[in-house]
Amino acid sequence: MDCAVEEGEIRRALAPIAGIEGLRFDLGQRTLSLAAAPPVLEAALAAIRSMGFDPQPLAGAAAAPTPHGHHGHAGEGLPRLLASLLCALAAEALAFFLAPAGPGLQILQLAEMGLAAAAIALAGFDTYKKGFYALRAGRLNINALMAVAVTGAFLAGQWPEAAMVMALYAIAELIEARAVDRARNAIKSLLAMAPEDAEVRQADGSWARQLTASVAVGARVRIRPGERIPLDGVILTGTSAIDQAPVTGESLPVDKGPGDEVYAGTINQAAALEFRVTAAASDSTLARIIHAVEEAQASRAPTQRFVDRFAAIYTPAVFALALAVALLTPWLMGYGWLQALYKALVLLVIACPCALVISTPVTLVSGLAAAARRGILIKGGVYLEQARLLKVVALDKTGTVTQGQPVLVEFAPVAAGADRQQLARLALALASRSDHPVSLAIARGLAAECAQPAEVHDFAAAVGRGVQGAVDGLPLVLANHRWIEERGQCSAALEAGLALHERAGRTVAMLADASGVLAICAVADTIKPSSRQAVAELKALGITPVMLTGDNLTTAQVIAAQAGITELRADLLPEHKLAAVRELQQRFGPTAMVGDGINDAPALAQSDIGFAMGAAGTHTAMEAADVVVMNDELGRLPETVRLSRRTRGVLLQNIALALGIKTAFLLAAVFGSATMWMAVFADMGASLLVVFNGLRLLRGK
């Protein structure tokens, strides 16, 4: 089972069987998952066998996916096919030399027929087997058409041509299978990047290598510079640069240290690391990417559904046309009966819809694989196709347009000539004792200026105001604007300075003692470096960006202005974001929502296409979304739209190529002098052409 046509045939064979609870096809792995009680299962397997398939139980079906998901490969039977081709060439050579010699050399004629029969037997066994079962069931697939056409040509005395047609068809099938496998395995090859074993700390403190599949969650793993990371985890000791291209598509390494996440298949470049395993091998981020893409491959995109419906009507119609050519052209066009039969057989081979049917899944799989290589996980071909239609993109602010965590953007002593380093030391002492996001941002920002924070005594937090404590015997507060006002320490000059910070969307904390404010700490969630470029690219694609945020209007306006976004909505609760997406859909049309938090999940689900930021996003947002951006870069959105438009273009090219080639050769078969050779080139040539055209998406940037 390796194409959508055969999947459809199996579905139709199983349709009359009652009691099948679940049916799932995975053409990428060439597997069928079937849930049913034992008697029903046996009936289903019997129905599949009656079609010429040989279903085999898959050992360890629940195990993690492997880079080699299917049994066998496209290279099987190559020596047999080459032998078939040699026999067909020998039959052609005999026919060429016998033509001027006349009919006297009967032994050589028998040899010619014998070589042709051998070529057909070597190359056509599987085709005849499947064709027999298809004809018995009243199905007109390519195997049935080829079996009828080759048999008819042989019986009509066209022995070398029948042999060459079967040999070329089988070889073209082999080439096509290899090309299709390339598309199917484009993502699975990523799994081969994860090492098969890992160096794990044992109970007695020693280190030993063991298979990654047996490493338990919570185990401590050690990796050396230059090694690939075997499992997902959190760094415990060490700092290094990690090449995350296989998972996130980032072109540059990322510096990581204790507390940072690492992913299976990524490369540790600079220094030794030890990390705690957070997911089993079968549940790593890399494995989940492959699983999601396989799920996407199993879904039917709109173009694919249209092509399948078209092929279901097209094939019987062409068979009826071939029958009309065989029966009517001797009366209408003066053809001999044998000539009319030959034309009808040629027409049948030309008309097979394989090229048309295979054009869509190969193109979509290639597009999905190209996206995943860039860290864009698209959960279905439908979303890959529909992204080209987007008119508006609704963007959450925090973690999407901005970095998602506050940073210290300014530390300024109030009094001229004050000792900045000493004031930074005092502010760091208070900030480092608090777990409030603003205090944490101040502590991170000042840590580089102070080798060691001072000791704090009598530390206490004032909810909604700040923190206080004694540093070097001096009572201090790290307070917000409200607390400073309550302490009566605001002045006109200070208020003017605070107003500037607040208009810039910053949160301000002030270091103060009993005499007054000593220093101002301004904290802000800064815009991502790539956000402005991404917004500009979306506008260039004709897509309107709109910011939807739960933050206050002033902060939202500042960030929107920095990103180049002109339309925004602020102070939104989750239900308000949901309503905003609905309103944008009515006003503009197809709408995407981009977010990373639980509060974005309703809007993500409502949108036509939901994009979740995967690195910082919550599991809820990632589950609700249709596309997951693994590296949180907003620039992946215009990339997705461009890939969608390119995929659509290749799909239309493939459909036009398949139908155009078929139409030209069909006309030649009816009114001209098309031969069986031309028929094979028309069918398999068109199939190979659309497959290789679809594979171009894997090479594109």
Side-chain angles (χ1 to χ4, degrees):
M1 179 189 68
D2 58 8
C3 76
V5 174
E6 292 181 342
E7 176 190 334
E9 293 173 357
I10 294 174
R11 285 187 183 276
R12 284 190 290 274
L14 297 179
I17 300 175
I20 295 178
E21 299 169 1
L23 191 65
R24 181 181 175 275
F25 289 83
D26 186 346
L27 295 180
Q29 298 254 25
R30 294 181 180 171
T31 60
L32 164 62
S33 302
L34 201 155
V40 178
L41 181 60
E42 285 303 318
L45 293 176
I48 294 173
R49 290 189 186 98
S50 71
M51 302 171 62
F53 294 101
D54 182 21
Q56 298 291 335
L58 182 63
T66 66
H68 311 289
H70 59 264
H71 305 289
H73 54 81
E76 289 177 346
L78 182 59
R80 179 166 47 83
L81 296 184
L82 291 177
S84 171
L85 183 61
L86 288 174
C87 289
L89 288 170
E92 286 283 2
L94 280 176
F96 177 79
F97 289 115
L98 281 173
L105 302 177
Q106 293 185 354
I107 294 177
L108 292 180
Q109 284 184 324
L110 288 174
E112 176 191 337
M113 186 173 68
L115 285 169
I120 293 170
L122 285 169
F125 177 77
D126 289 337
T127 301
Y128 269 103
K129 179 184 174 184
K130 288 186 176 181
F132 169 74
Y133 283 107
L135 288 171
R136 192 177 71 174
R139 291 180 284 105
L140 301 174
N141 61 15
I142 180 58
N143 296 302
L145 299 182
M146 282 299 301
V148 169
V150 170
T151 302
F154 192 88
L155 294 176
Q158 304 289 333
W159 305 323
E161 186 170 3
M164 189 61 75
V165 163
M166 185 59 81
L168 289 176
Y169 171 75
I171 291 172
E173 284 269 276
L174 177 68
I175 297 171
E176 181 184 300
R178 282 184 168 175
V180 173
D181 278 349
R182 181 184 167 196
R184 287 171 175 156
N185 294 328
I187 289 299
K188 291 183 196 136
S189 61
L190 289 177
L191 272 182
M193 296 180 181
E196 294 183 355
D197 57 16
E199 192 175 11
V200 184
R201 187 171 183 176
Q202 308 300 304
D204 60 1
S206 63
W207 295 86
R209 300 203 78 85
Q210 64 185 78
L211 293 175
T212 53
S214 65
V215 177
V217 174
R220 192 180 184 108
V221 173
R222 182 170 65 185
I223 48 171
R224 296 178 174 84
E227 289 185 335
R228 288 188 181 273
I229 295 171
L231 296 153
D232 285 4
V234 174
I235 296 175
L236 298 174
T237 62
T239 301
S240 182
I242 308 294
D243 179 0
Q244 298 192 138
V247 173
T248 66
E250 290 168 293
S251 57
L252 297 176
V254 180
D255 292 329
K256 296 204 173 189
D260 291 331
E261 288 185 318
V262 291
Y263 306 115
T266 57
I267 304 168
N268 175 32
Q269 293 191 330
L273 295 174
E274 292 181 19
F275 66 89
R276 175 176 54 82
V277 176
T278 56
S282 60
D283 195 38
S284 69
T285 302
L286 201 56
R288 284 187 282 116
I289 288 174
I290 278 82
H291 178 69
V293 174
E294 287 174 345
E295 291 279 345
Q297 291 175 11
S299 65
R300 285 281 182 272
T303 302
Q304 192 168 351
R305 290 195 295 268
F306 163 76
V307 166
D308 290 345
R309 289 196 302 269
F310 179 82
I313 300 169
Y314 165 86
T315 307
V318 171
F319 191 83
L321 177 62
L323 193 62
V325 168
L327 297 177
L328 299 180
T329 53
W331 303 97
L332 299 177
M333 304 179 70
Y335 293 158
W337 287 103
L338 202 59
Q339 182 186 13
L341 176 63
Y342 181 78
K343 283 184 175 292
L345 295 174
V346 170
L347 190 147
L348 283 181
V349 178
I350 292 173
C352 179
C354 269
L356 185 63
V357 172
I358 204 171
S359 65
T360 47
V362 169
T363 303
L364 291 172
V365 169
S366 298
L368 292 169
R373 286 176 172 180
R374 295 285 294 154
I376 306 166
L377 181 54
I378 303 175
K379 295 184 180 179
V382 61
Y383 308 117
L384 177 59
E385 273 205 61
Q386 290 182 346
R388 67 186 176 85
L389 302 174
L390 290 176
K391 300 298 183 186
V392 63
V393 171
L395 303 165
D396 176 47
K397 179 183 74 69
T398 307
T400 301
V401 179
T402 67
Q403 300 284 6
Q405 64 176 10
V407 296
L408 181 66
V409 294
E410 186 175 335
F411 177 78
V414 172
D419 187 342
R420 174 189 169 88
Q421 189 169 4
Q422 174 60 14
L423 291 177
R425 178 173 170 271
L426 298 176
L428 175 61
L430 290 175
S432 61
R433 292 289 300 274
S434 172
D435 60 359
H436 190 278
V438 173
S439 295
L440 292 173
I442 294 171
R444 285 193 301 269
L446 296 178
E449 297 188 32
C450 308
Q452 186 70 31
E455 288 290 329
V456 181
H457 300 282
D458 302 323
F459 178 84
V463 179
R465 289 172 173 79
V467 295
Q468 60 186 348
V471 184
D472 296 339
L474 178 66
L476 295 170
V477 296
L478 190 61
N480 62 14
H481 191 176
R482 180 199 302 175
W483 199 5
I484 294 298
E485 283 184 339
E486 291 174 356
R487 288 166 60 94
Q489 294 178 318
C490 272
S491 65
L494 182 63
E495 288 285 359
L498 294 178
L500 290 175
H501 285 297
E502 289 168 358
R503 280 199 295 272
R506 298 170 176 176
T507 300
V508 177
M510 288 162 276
L511 179 68
D513 61 10
S515 63
V517 176
L518 304 175
I520 293 175
C521 308
V523 170
D525 182 10
T526 56
I527 188 172
K528 291 179 182 177
S530 60
S531 291
R532 186 171 185 85
Q533 176 65 26
V535 168
E537 290 181 20
L538 287 172
K539 290 180 177 178
L541 291 168
I543 298 172
T544 303
V546 178
M547 181 184 288
L548 306 180
T549 179
D551 211 338
N552 65 77
L553 180 60
T554 301
T555 302
Q557 287 174 331
V558 171
I559 297 297
Q562 292 174 356
I565 299 172
T566 55
E567 185 171 345
L568 64 96
R569 320 274 176 87
D571 298 307
L572 300 180
L573 295 173
E575 57 268 28
H576 298 147
K577 287 188 177 182
L578 176 62
V581 168
R582 286 175 176 160
E583 187 266 326
L584 290 171
Q585 287 173 319
Q586 293 176 355
R587 185 169 138 212
F588 290 96
T591 299
M593 173 68 196
V594 189
D596 67 340
I598 292 175
N599 63 331
D600 298 319
L604 285 168
Q606 170 63 35
S607 64
D608 295 276
I609 302 180
F611 288 80
M613 293 296 166
T618 65
H619 289 295
T620 304
M622 292 173 70
E623 287 297 322
D626 307 307
V627 181
V628 178
V629 178
M630 297 305 298
N631 70 346
D632 285 1
E633 286 297 326
L634 203 56
R636 295 297 191 249
L637 267 72
E639 281 187 31
T640 304
V641 175
R642 286 194 292 268
L643 178 63
S644 174
R645 294 181 181 181
R646 188 161 174 245
T647 301
R648 177 67 173 179
V650 172
L651 282 172
L652 293 178
Q653 290 169 18
N654 280 347
I655 293 171
L657 282 170
L659 291 179
I661 292 171
K662 297 290 184 186
T663 302
F665 279 92
L666 281 172
L667 293 174
V670 176
F671 301 107
S673 56
T675 66
M676 195 74 73
W677 277 64
M678 292 184 185
V680 170
F681 282 120
D683 176 60
M684 296 311 300
S687 295
L688 293 176
L689 194 60
V690 299
V691 166
F692 288 123
N693 191 41
L695 290 177
R696 288 192 303 116
L697 291 171
L698 289 175
R699 297 195 302 272
K701 293 186 178 180

